[in-house]
């Protein structure tokens, strides 16, 4: 969140910024998971879908895997979830060595 920016303002900004399905569907989906859909944009699931942490992990895995083959989505994932993407890629590297 930006310094001096309320949660409500940040959620509104996020929900209006992530409206391009081609570029933002993965980011929108994960933002929805972490904000109970208050910061989701063009793609989201019903709040009930996110009741299990396993579902969040599975969705994050799916979106980060998908991003490995799509430069636009990769760049968005890298911008909004850089540490999660780095962790995912470290795990892929370990798997590929074995």
């Amino acid at each position: 969140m930006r310094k001096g920016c309320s949660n409500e303002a940040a959620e509104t900004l996020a929900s209006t910024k992530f409206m391009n399905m081609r570029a933002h569907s993965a980011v929108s989906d994960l933002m929805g998971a972490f904000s109970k859909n208050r910061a989701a944009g063009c793609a989201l699931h019903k709040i009930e879908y996110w009741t299990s942490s396993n579902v969040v992990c599975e969705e994050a895995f799916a979106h980060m895997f998908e991003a490995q083959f799509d430069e636009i989505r990769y760049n968005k994932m890298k911008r909004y979830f850089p540490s999660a993407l780095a962790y995912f890629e470290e795990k892929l590297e370990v798997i590929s060595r074995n």
Side-chain angles (χ1 to χ4, degrees), residues 6-19:
S6 70
N7 283 347
E8 183 178 345
E11 291 163 354
T12 299
L13 176 64
S15 65
T16 57
K17 182 175 179 114
F18 304 128
M19 295 308 290

Side-chain angles (χ1 to χ4, degrees), residues 9-83:
E11 291 163 354
T12 299
L13 176 64
S15 65
T16 57
K17 182 175 179 114
F18 304 128
M19 295 308 290
N20 181 309
M21 184 62 84
R22 171 73 178 90
H24 299 120
S25 61
V27 171
S28 173
D29 193 25
L30 294 176
M31 290 288 197
F34 302 131
S35 70
K36 296 184 180 178
N37 287 342
R38 291 186 304 268
C42 62
L44 56 106
H45 292 278
K46 291 182 180 180
I47 292 172
E48 298 80 24
Y49 178 75
W50 300 115
T51 56
S52 167
S53 61
N54 289 341
V55 171
V56 176
C57 293
E58 290 167 0
E59 286 285 335
F61 177 89
H63 289 308
M64 290 185 195
F65 187 78
E66 167 190 59
Q68 301 300 304
F69 307 98
D70 185 315
E71 184 177 1
I72 291 171
R73 291 172 189 231
Y74 182 86
N75 288 334
K76 296 300 180 185
M77 196 62 66
K78 189 172 183 177
R79 179 174 181 188
Y80 294 105
F81 299 106
S83 58

